[in-house]
Amino acid sequence: MSSETEEKRAKAQPNGCERAFIQHNKIKWFWAPAFFGFWLLLYVTISIPACHRLPRPLTIQDEAKHPDQFIAERAENNLRDLVSLGPRVVGSRTNEMAALKLLSEKTHKIKSGTANEIEVDVQVASGSYVHWSMVNMYQSIQNIVVKVSPRGTNSTTWLLVNSHYDSVPAGPGAGDDASMVATMMEVLRVLVNSEKPLKNPVVFLFNGAEENPLQASHAFITQHKWAKYCKALINLDSCGNGGREILFQSGPNHPWLMKNYRRAIKHPYASTMGEEMFQNNMIPSDTDFRIFRDHGAVPGLDMAYTYNGYVYHTRHDKAEIFPRGSLQHTGDNLLALVREIANSPELEDSSKYAEGHTIYFDVMGWFLVFYTETEGVIFNVIVSLTAIGICGFAFKLMSVSSGIKLEKILKRVLHTFFVNLLSVLVSAILPVLLGLFMDAVHLPMSWFSNSWLILGLYFTTFFFGFAIVPAMYFHWTKFDKLPIGQRVQILLHSHCLLLAILTLILTICGVRSVFVLTLSCLFYTVGLIINIATKLHSKDVAWVIPHIVCLIPPFVFFAYFSHGFFTTFIPMFGRFGENLNPDLAVAIFSVAVGFLCCGFILPVLQLFNKSKTIICGLLGITLICFIIALTPAGFPYRPETNVQRFAVLHAKRTFHDADNKIRRQESGYFIMPQDRRTYTVKNDVINMTLAQRIGDDCEKEINCGLPLYNQRWHKTRKNSLWIPASEPVLGDDLPTVKVISKKELSATKIRYDMSLTGPNHMAVFVQPLNGAFITNWSFHQAPLRLRFDPPYFVYFSWGVNGDPLKFWIELEKPNGNLNSSSLELGLGGHWTHHKDMLTPDFKKFLDSFPKYTDATPWPASFESWIY
Ligand SMILES: [Zn+2]
């Protein structure tokens, strides 16, 4: 060691006060719990409350003091009225008559005011569109369409606001989507009664068939007389019950909408990351937003509740648990937003303002940050280049202050960079291995109810992996001339360099969500600049203070952001299906979130005495949490609140041969696994041990011989379970195809004219036989034009009017053998709201499901016919 360096080392020794805190240039080990506690405290006291903060709901008594404002109590009354009708399934009397009547009456009670007029229209429509590989065909579904316009207007640019009043058969649909319907109704009332005239009209679409899926929005945007005037959209849906509504999709390509959102919104909650995930199909849901965009080219804002997704699409999605504060939150926002957009000059010629994507996110629900994609690219590049530059400068200063040649410092940087890279790798692999292990030992989803177990299982494993590698490196090179405080700084700078490089790469790849890395780099660099400016960087430990202070804002923000993310996703693992290992996904999420929140925090652990012991102590926490996962606390489900989902069809399957004789007939319960732990019920549910995979039938029968009408089920249908049982009671409205006529059009061409009758939810599978292929038909043309693989799937449902569906199919038979059969039809029928149709055996079967489950029963039929 040169004498000059020794002198500098001597200068860097701590003074009396610091000595109590540090020992041998390291922080005393017993400060470690305080260090962890500090960050945990920030998370628990700032980030989590910000995630769940709701405004004070206004009551009818408050109305006089708050004219022209959204009154949550009124919205709540709307909500209770609608939900009290029960499940509102398309085609049921509840949906087509009771709900329609209730909402029409409510709109008719709102009388035109002095400034704005109201006009109500009921749309009954039929049509079809292609959804994934399915033809989605509807007959006589209904919409209630309400227009509010300023008196005497001739404006032709209107704003559209959409939410749906229908629900799934499983439950009363309070969160999804009666809450939004109720909010829209109250906003409508305030607008019509307001003294302030709107500049442009607003259309409120009370949508009667969304769960079906997305039929009514298609009917409106392709057929309604007002559709062509709608130039922008606000879509309101839900995959939860309560909480704050998040703006998770905007545009596409209309930044002016985000400008309006920022200006108007009272309680911002928005995320670009949600938009990217949604548009990359990472979320098992779809909203009307897509229909308006694809079939009407209407740009808009897509908002939804995501909190408490446990009850979504179950019988527990009740009005009683829906918080009034959530209604106020959404109502305040929607009212302000409708006024802002309806009055904005951009609405009048929105195409002029279609200019690229935007990046947006809210900060703790306090305010919204928003910039265009181009500004984002500039921001990312400037921040990452500056970060790289400042780190380089810091290395130079380190060389000067330590008296070690820059060359040698840079050699250490290179080593440390690879050590950091290795630690990133190890910290990513360990949680993944744990995720695979938890699944292998039949303990997946232990965190489903007690989500803090994720912190104890996956985050601690991540922390361990990320910290142990550098700890070993520092241990093996402990005789380095450079003091540990400086070496830890090199580690942090290396991490910053890694993030900066990643930011540049992902920016080039066009990933908008990369802004999170940019923010990470930005705050780290600010801390570094402060350290350089105050010369604290050359101290052994003192630099930690500015470093930590600058990490607080990004930590609190990322923790808030991640908490919202986890709250949204954890319940979704209850319906991602059986093929996804949920623990693996949660492990990967934890790694990503861990890097974001703690990437610059964890290296500080290296400054503690006994750092390796502290780091290994984290694994102790993992072990304790693993043991908890083995106990009832780690059992995923809870009755009422965190249920396990089952869809159970009581089905009769009948297969006919070419002579119309029955060649196979059987009845049974058909279960589609909704999550990874279907086996948990096998000891409770009657005959569950007899359950067989349907797999083999998929080779033998059309559509595996299953009456599925939900497209989402088709991907995993081979895994579904079949338990032989007694016959279901089916309606006398069994799906029936009648051949009206069969004509030979030429020596090789044949045409069938047919008609279909049956219950309001049917599936038709069409399979050409004996070398025939379909040349034309009366269904949607896309499957033929795009050459989908047969069997073709036509989903058909009807609302108020169950008249027969007439259709025709033309087939070409190149071999000219028109006498052999040329067509097989598979007909699936569902009785989605006939609770009285359940047989005693089926009821017994359903009752055998444990209390923590939510099983939706449907009588169903499947028949195959050859023509
Ligand atoms: Zn919905």
Side-chain angles (χ1 to χ4, degrees):
M1 196 186 283
S2 77
S3 60
E4 194 194 7
T5 327
E6 272 177 69
E7 202 178 304
K8 283 196 171 133
R9 292 284 309 269
K11 267 194 214 160
Q13 290 304 314
N15 60 30
C17 173
E18 277 176 292
R19 222 168 279 144
F21 183 64
I22 55 181
Q23 192 180 30
H24 302 302
N25 301 334
K26 281 195 160 190
I27 304 168
K28 286 177 180 164
W29 64 270
F30 48 77
W31 286 97
F35 179 71
F36 284 111
F38 171 70
W39 299 105
L40 198 62
L41 197 72
L42 287 179
Y43 170 55
V44 172
T45 57
I46 305 179
S47 307
I48 297 181
C51 251
H52 301 295
R53 196 175 38 234
L54 295 173
R56 183 183 80 82
L58 294 182
T59 61
I60 294 171
Q61 283 184 334
D62 293 324
E63 203 165 5
K65 267 187 276 166
H66 299 87
D68 252 17
Q69 284 204 34
F70 182 92
I71 306 295
E73 193 183 353
R74 285 189 190 280
E76 192 180 70
N77 293 341
N78 293 337
L79 170 66
R80 287 178 188 239
D81 291 346
L82 185 56
V83 170
S84 67
L85 300 176
R88 302 167 300 282
V89 184
V90 170
S92 69
R93 292 176 69 87
T94 318
N95 193 59
E96 306 308 329
M97 299 172 82
L100 188 96
K101 182 163 169 268
L102 177 87
L103 294 173
S104 303
E105 278 172 8
K106 281 188 186 281
T107 56
H108 283 293
K109 267 191 199 144
I110 305 171
K111 293 274 177 291
S112 292
T114 48
N116 298 303
E117 292 177 305
I118 182 167
E119 192 180 339
V120 183
D121 183 59
V122 173
Q123 182 191 16
V124 182
S126 306
S128 73
Y129 73 98
V130 173
H131 190 71
W132 293 318
S133 61
M134 155 181 103
V135 176
N136 186 345
M137 195 164 186
Y138 54 91
Q139 176 172 296
S140 66
I141 55 97
Q142 305 186 96
N143 281 319
I144 305 168
V145 198
V146 185
K147 184 173 63 150
V148 186
S149 33
R151 281 195 182 279
T153 185
N154 52 10
S155 160
T156 52
T157 51
W158 306 354
L159 168 67
L160 175 64
V161 188
N162 173 66
S163 68
H164 67 91
Y165 62 83
D166 69 315
S167 79
V168 290
D176 178 22
D177 194 19
S179 59
M180 288 298 192
V181 169
T183 304
M184 226 165 83
M185 189 65 81
E186 171 61 7
V187 167
L188 173 67
R189 185 193 66 83
V190 178
L191 283 179
V192 176
N193 292 338
S194 172
E195 299 288 312
K196 296 180 211 153
L198 290 161
K199 205 168 152 209
N200 295 297
V202 182
V203 173
F204 290 85
L205 174 57
F206 296 93
N207 171 320
E210 189 271 353
E211 302 288 3
N212 226 21
L214 317 182
Q215 294 172 337
S217 51
H218 183 264
F220 174 82
I221 205 65
T222 55
Q223 297 175 44
H224 197 271
K225 59 184 175 183
W226 292 341
K228 62 173 182 281
Y229 303 113
C230 296
K231 296 292 153 59
L233 160 78
I234 299 172
N235 189 47
L236 303 163
D237 211 329
S238 171
C239 63
N241 182 301
R244 306 175 296 152
E245 86 289 348
I246 184 172
L247 170 73
F248 67 100
Q249 279 197 97
S250 80
N253 291 326
H254 284 259
W256 66 273
L257 281 167
M258 284 310 298
K259 280 185 201 152
N260 279 283
Y261 179 85
R262 183 175 55 181
R263 263 202 304 271
I265 220 81
K266 279 193 171 175
H267 322 288
Y269 182 30
S271 166
T272 302
M273 202 171 258
E275 176 171 304
E276 278 197 316
M277 296 190 78
F278 206 82
Q279 290 173 357
N280 290 312
N281 293 324
M282 288 173 73
I283 296 170
S285 286
D286 216 340
T287 70
D288 288 320
F289 184 84
R290 200 171 58 76
I291 296 292
F292 292 117
R293 180 192 67 201
D294 296 353
H295 296 271
V298 185
L301 301 172
D302 200 0
M303 303 197 255
Y305 293 119
T306 63
Y307 176 74
N308 197 6
Y310 295 109
V311 299
Y312 167 71
H313 286 189
T314 73
R315 65 173 183 273
H316 306 294
D317 184 10
K318 292 177 185 160
E320 293 76 46
I321 59 167
F322 196 93
R324 206 183 259 185
S326 290
L327 293 168
Q328 193 67 44
H329 191 275
T330 312
D332 285 345
N333 281 345
L334 182 63
L335 181 60
L337 198 54
V338 165
R339 284 194 162 126
E340 187 73 30
I341 298 180
N343 294 341
S344 82
E346 292 100 333
L347 182 67
E348 281 159 28
D349 190 3
S350 61
S351 58
K352 237 174 44 194
Y353 301 92
E355 48 197 7
H357 282 292
T358 49
I359 286 126
Y360 53 86
F361 53 91
D362 70 294
V363 178
M364 320 296 292
W366 298 333
F367 58 91
L368 187 86
V369 176
F370 144 78
Y371 45 86
T372 64
E373 197 166 14
T374 320
E375 287 162 353
V377 168
I378 296 169
F379 175 63
N380 293 345
V381 171
I382 289 179
V383 169
S384 21
L385 292 183
T386 310
I388 293 171
I390 301 281
C391 287
F393 184 58
F395 296 139
K396 178 91 205 307
L397 291 177
M398 203 177 277
S399 151
V400 174
S401 68
S402 66
I404 299 173
K405 278 190 192 151
L406 180 61
E407 215 176 293
K408 292 195 167 164
I409 294 279
L410 290 181
K411 208 170 147 194
R412 284 180 175 84
V413 171
L414 196 70
H415 288 166
T416 314
F417 187 84
F418 283 108
V419 166
N420 184 52
L421 217 56
L422 186 67
S423 75
V424 167
L425 213 68
V426 170
S427 65
I429 289 172
L430 288 181
V432 164
L433 288 179
L434 180 61
L436 294 172
F437 173 75
M438 293 302 280
D439 190 57
V441 298
H442 292 293
L443 285 174
M445 297 172 74
S446 56
W447 34 261
F448 190 63
S449 290
N450 285 327
S451 47
W452 49 264
L453 270 175
I454 293 178
L455 209 61
L457 285 171
Y458 294 108
F459 277 84
T460 50
T461 325
F462 164 79
F463 294 160
F464 170 78
F466 196 58
I468 196 68
V469 176
M472 297 315 291
Y473 169 66
F474 289 138
H475 176 71
W476 288 324
T477 55
K478 64 180 163 205
F479 299 115
D480 195 306
K481 275 184 274 180
L482 202 59
I484 186 72
Q486 302 292 301
R487 304 189 66 202
V488 173
Q489 286 192 58
I490 295 184
L491 180 63
L492 286 163
H493 299 346
S494 307
H495 191 62
C496 181
L497 291 176
L498 179 68
L499 290 193
I501 294 167
L502 262 178
T503 306
L504 290 174
I505 294 173
L506 293 175
T507 305
I508 292 167
C509 298
V511 178
R512 276 168 277 154
S513 302
V514 76
F515 75 89
V516 291
L517 297 186
T518 319
L519 289 180
S520 230
C521 275
L522 178 70
F523 282 90
Y524 177 71
T525 311
V526 170
L528 181 54
I529 292 172
I530 294 173
N531 267 323
I532 291 174
T534 55
K535 298 212 160 54
L536 285 175
H537 68 99
S538 60
K539 297 271 164 51
D540 277 338
V541 172
W543 58 268
V544 169
I545 307 297
H547 171 66
I548 284 182
V549 169
C550 287
L551 288 185
I552 292 173
F555 173 82
V556 167
F557 168 68
F558 288 139
Y560 158 81
F561 186 85
S562 310
H563 187 80
F565 179 82
F566 271 104
T567 333
T568 303
F569 270 90
I570 291 170
M572 282 189 196
F573 288 108
R575 57 192 174 91
F576 269 127
E578 198 190 32
N579 289 352
L580 178 89
N581 171 357
D583 276 61
L584 187 61
V586 161
I588 293 168
F589 283 166
S590 304
V591 170
V593 165
F595 274 122
L596 212 53
C597 296
C598 307
F600 289 115
I601 294 174
L602 287 171
V604 173
L605 284 182
Q606 311 294 345
L607 285 177
F608 285 82
N609 270 334
K610 303 186 201 282
S611 54
K612 288 186 296 300
T613 317
I614 298 167
I615 294 164
C616 291
L618 291 166
L619 279 190
I621 301 177
T622 314
L623 186 67
I624 293 169
C625 286
F626 174 72
I627 293 167
I628 295 174
L630 288 166
T631 69
F635 186 71
Y637 316 109
R638 304 283 183 274
E640 309 272 318
T641 53
N642 309 59
V643 291
Q644 184 176 24
R645 294 153 189 271
F646 283 94
V648 187
L649 304 187
H650 187 187
K652 181 177 177 182
R653 325 201 280 167
T654 312
F655 303 91
H656 294 90
D657 62 16
D659 303 320
N660 279 342
K661 290 213 183 78
I662 293 175
R663 63 173 167 82
R664 178 180 173 194
Q665 188 170 51
E666 61 195 8
S667 292
Y669 307 128
F670 164 68
I671 298 172
M672 182 66 77
Q674 305 277 302
D675 72 13
R676 194 72 163 180
R677 283 183 83 138
T678 305
Y679 55 80
T680 54
V681 301
K682 75 171 187 287
N683 293 329
D684 297 292
V685 173
I686 294 170
N687 287 346
M688 192 67 179
T689 45
L690 302 180
Q692 288 169 358
R693 300 270 162 184
I694 213 99
D696 277 359
D697 276 349
C698 293
E699 265 85 70
K700 284 187 280 189
E701 307 291 358
I702 185 169
N703 190 46
C704 311
L706 293 179
L708 299 183
Y709 75 91
N710 188 326
Q711 173 81 1
R712 228 171 266 150
W713 293 349
H714 280 230
K715 283 186 213 150
T716 52
R717 61 191 171 189
K718 278 187 187 170
N719 290 339
S720 49
L721 302 170
W722 178 263
I723 305 171
S726 56
E727 264 194 40
V729 176
L730 302 172
D732 42 16
D733 51 346
L734 269 182
T736 312
V737 163
K738 271 201 195 110
V739 181
I740 299 168
S741 72
K742 177 181 171 184
K743 280 185 215 133
E744 288 177 15
L745 301 179
S746 72
T748 57
K749 225 172 180 183
I750 192 162
R751 170 178 162 135
Y752 291 91
D753 277 84
M754 298 172 146
S755 82
L756 170 71
T757 51
N760 44 41
H761 288 73
M762 285 184 273
V764 182
F765 301 91
V766 185
Q767 174 75 56
L769 296 176
N770 297 321
F773 59 90
I774 297 175
T775 53
N776 202 357
W777 64 10
S778 57
F779 296 120
H780 199 291
Q781 290 294 310
L784 303 182
R785 199 180 63 235
L786 302 172
R787 293 170 195 274
F788 288 180
D789 285 331
Y792 304 102
F793 174 23
V794 180
Y795 165 57
F796 175 67
S797 72
W798 51 265
V800 275
N801 177 355
D803 283 351
L805 171 74
K806 294 213 164 67
F807 64 94
W808 53 265
I809 299 173
E810 274 177 23
L811 294 129
E812 172 87 30
K813 275 189 142 178
N815 60 19
N817 183 4
L818 297 186
N819 293 327
S820 70
S821 46
S822 35
L823 188 64
E824 182 175 9
L825 293 184
L827 303 177
H830 283 256
W831 290 264
T832 49
H833 45 272
H834 288 215
K835 289 265 157 74
D836 47 330
M837 284 170 60
L838 309 184
T839 64
D841 277 356
F842 190 32
K843 274 188 188 145
K844 218 184 277 170
F845 178 73
L846 292 169
D847 286 343
S848 71
F849 275 81
K851 281 208 164 54
Y852 58 79
T853 59
D854 185 84
T856 306
W858 290 327
S861 71
F862 187 83
E863 291 193 10
S864 81
W865 294 89
I866 292 176
Y867 301 92

